[in-house]
Amino acid sequence: MKLPGHDAIARQADEHLVTHRVKLPRKLVQHPFRQVAKRVSVAFLLLVATTLIVYADNGGYNDNSDGHVDFLDAAYYATVTLSTTGYGDITPVSDAARLTNILVITPLRVLFLIILVGTTLEVLTERTREEWRLNRWRSTLRDHTVVIGFGTKGRSAIQTVCATGLKKEQVVVVDPSSKVIDAATAEGFAGVVGDATRSDVLRRAEVHKARKIIIATQRDDTAVLVTLTARQLNRAAKIVAAVREEENAPLLKQSGADAVITSASAAGRLLGLSCLSPAAGMVMEDLIHQGSGLDIVERPVIKAEVGRSPRQTDDLVVSVVRGHRVLGYDDPDVGSLQLTDRLITIVRATPGTQVAPDARPLPQD
């Protein structure tokens, strides 16, 4: 088996410096920094306006130090007044100045406090709301799909399962990169930042309650560790993993994967088929692209089909799943269809009439 040395695996499994956290998808009307900058700008404008008002009527104010109020004194008075500090060293003495304080500066002071206190309250409220959303998400999440890795393979896998009718709320992405998780949440998926080889990270993704787990990591050794950890946390979930090297596929199956896809070999076979027959390559590409053209789906046998042969069904049947065996449509062992059989069929995908594969895992040995 072609895997890196044990030291590299141990370093990856023992890595504790990665901060893992759950990120739920949300729509931001405006970037938080822009919101803060806007409020700071308004507060600064209020301060400038108060300073100019006081300086314009500086004769109506008295400074205990020298009796004269200049521009710096006006700015100082505006600062301590709007912040409600009020040292009392500069005070309005004329009727006009006091009336201005009552009718103009006091409303500005209230508005200034609303901006400062409102920003603090909004931050606290946002944290409370986010914590509530997270707790509610954890309590309601059931039978979802966990995707480990949001690279090219992970994205394509999510597009395929979502094309069959799976809602985005039922998909959780796990990736060690915070930027990658930000991209996933921007598309409407929940995300967990962290190393998926660690059980505590997978628990945050609620792997123990998941129905399907897709492992699309960049390294084969990582895929092995993730598969072992995921299978330990969830014995019933259907685990599908991708590896680069075909010789590593048996190890993934021994680790608990129900199905293993060799990405490099699969791409090579598709290239070879397209070289021999471009039309056949286009058909295969259409079949594996869910939601358009021809789709290959798995469905249960209906009562009207019991006792018939695969050729006598309305759909184009390519295989029959009986127990843990997958039989070709022309296999003599198929005989007549049974109610417990499942059919692998090719159907035409049309908008609004998608045929979703059944979510139940196939029987195990």
Side-chain angles (χ1 to χ4, degrees), residues 3 32 56 70 88 93 103-104 119 166 173 195 201 210 214 254 278 299 322 344 359:
L3 291 177
D70 55 15
V93 293
L103 300 179
V104 180
T119 302
L166 183 68
V173 179
D195 183 2
V201 174
I214 300 174
Q254 294 175 9
R299 67 169 179 85
R322 178 167 295 168
I344 307 296

Side-chain angles (χ1 to χ4, degrees), residues 45-348:
L45 290 177
L46 292 176
L47 180 62
V48 172
T50 305
T51 301
L52 295 177
I53 292 172
V54 173
Y55 183 70
D57 189 24
N58 59 352
Y61 292 83
N62 179 53
D63 186 354
N64 294 335
S65 61
D66 56 8
H68 177 69
V69 176
D70 55 15
F71 186 80
L72 180 59
D73 294 332
Y76 166 76
Y77 176 80
T79 303
V80 297
T81 300
L82 293 184
S83 62
T84 68
T85 304
Y87 293 114
D89 48 353
I90 299 179
T91 56
V93 293
S94 67
D95 293 339
R98 291 177 178 178
L99 185 61
T100 302
N101 269 261
I102 295 174
L103 300 179
V104 180
I105 296 181
T106 297
L108 292 178
R109 182 189 303 116
V110 173
L111 182 58
F112 187 85
L113 292 177
I114 288 176
I115 293 174
L116 295 183
V117 177
T119 302
T120 304
L121 290 178
E122 184 172 346
V123 171
L124 295 177
T125 304
E126 180 65 24
R127 290 181 180 177
T128 303
R129 187 187 301 115
E130 191 67 21
E131 188 67 23
W132 180 83
R133 288 184 64 212
L134 185 57
N135 292 334
R136 184 176 180 274
W137 172 77
R138 285 173 173 163
S139 63
T140 58
L141 194 63
R142 294 287 188 282
D143 297 332
H144 57 290
T145 299
V146 178
V147 180
I148 313 297
F150 198 61
T152 302
K153 292 181 292 186
R155 290 173 184 265
S156 299
I158 292 177
Q159 291 174 359
T160 300
V161 296
C162 287
T164 61
L166 183 68
K167 296 180 180 180
K168 290 185 176 182
E169 294 79 7
Q170 286 295 106
V171 177
V172 181
V173 179
V174 181
D175 197 280
S177 173
S178 180
K179 293 183 179 179
V180 171
I181 295 300
D182 288 340
T185 56
E187 296 184 19
F189 307 109
V192 178
V193 181
D195 183 2
T197 61
R198 298 176 56 184
S199 58
D200 56 340
V201 174
L202 293 182
R203 286 193 184 96
R204 288 179 176 267
E206 305 294 322
V207 164
H208 54 286
K209 296 187 293 185
R211 175 171 291 183
K212 297 179 182 179
I213 302 172
I214 300 174
I215 301 175
T217 58
Q218 299 297 324
R219 295 165 55 97
D220 289 2
D221 57 333
T222 304
V224 172
L225 291 174
V226 173
T227 303
L228 285 169
T229 307
R231 181 56 72 194
Q232 183 182 19
L233 295 175
N234 192 331
R235 297 290 181 181
K238 184 174 183 179
I239 300 180
V240 179
V243 293
R244 291 179 178 272
E245 302 295 335
E246 192 168 2
E247 60 191 50
N248 295 334
L251 181 58
L252 264 296
K253 292 184 178 180
Q254 294 175 9
S255 302
D258 297 294
V260 180
I261 306 299
T262 307
S263 56
S265 299
R269 286 190 287 268
L270 187 57
L271 284 173
L273 178 61
S274 299
C275 181
L276 296 174
S277 173
M282 291 175 60
V283 172
M284 288 301 300
E285 182 70 20
D286 186 17
L287 287 175
I288 62 178
H289 189 273
Q290 290 288 118
S292 63
L294 297 175
D295 280 356
I296 184 165
V297 300
E298 177 184 339
R299 67 169 179 85
V301 173
I302 61 177
K303 291 183 179 180
E305 296 171 336
V306 175
R308 297 181 181 181
S309 69
R311 296 178 183 270
Q312 294 175 326
T313 62
D314 295 334
D315 294 336
L316 179 59
V317 178
V318 294
S319 296
V320 177
V321 181
R322 178 167 295 168
H324 63 277
R325 297 186 301 166
V326 179
L327 307 173
Y329 72 95
D330 57 348
D331 195 311
D333 292 340
V334 173
S336 59
L337 296 176
Q338 303 174 10
L339 189 60
T340 56
D341 291 341
R342 302 185 62 78
L343 303 180
I344 307 296
T345 65
I346 296 177
V347 298
R348 169 68 62 178

